[in-house]
Amino acid sequence: GQGCRGYEEVNRHVFQNGAAYPKPTLWMYGKRDNYYPIDHCRSNFQSFVGSGGNGSFHAIQGGHMLVLYPKLWEPALAEFVSRIG
């Protein structure tokens, strides 16, 4: 996160490498994440897509522990699952 020096470049590199995965991906981020600002997350997604990755990005109300609040992200997941079959 922001507390780690160089986090922007490390994450960008990881997501560029991940672009080789050929199937659709779902990206969900909490708009109020204390560790990663939403602009940073969008930038990571753009690096992923710019390197050939296939995904959809969703900025969802919530913070770093978004996974604990499925009512916030279930609609995005349901849409993704229905789209990929």
Side-chain angles (χ1 to χ4, degrees):
Q2 295 176 35
C4 298
R5 207 172 71 187
Y7 77 99
E8 292 147 328
E9 193 55 40
V10 169
N11 288 344
R12 187 174 356 272
H13 180 72
V14 168
F15 292 123
Q16 287 170 339
N17 287 342
Y21 181 71
K23 299 193 180 205
T25 59
L26 175 63
W27 294 52
M28 296 187 288
Y29 286 92
K31 290 181 180 179
R32 296 185 318 265
D33 191 314
N34 294 332
Y35 295 96
Y36 292 102
I38 195 67
D39 291 339
H40 170 73
C41 298
R42 288 183 197 281
S43 176
N44 286 336
F45 180 71
Q46 291 306 317
S47 293
F48 173 76
V49 171
S51 296
N54 179 8
S56 59
F57 185 94
H58 298 268
I60 299 170
Q61 292 299 330
H64 191 71
M65 298 303 292
L66 185 63
V67 70
L68 299 178
Y69 303 96
K71 289 186 180 194
L72 297 175
W73 50 263
E74 281 176 337
L77 178 61
E79 186 274 328
F80 177 76
V81 170
S82 71
R83 189 168 26 97
I84 64 169

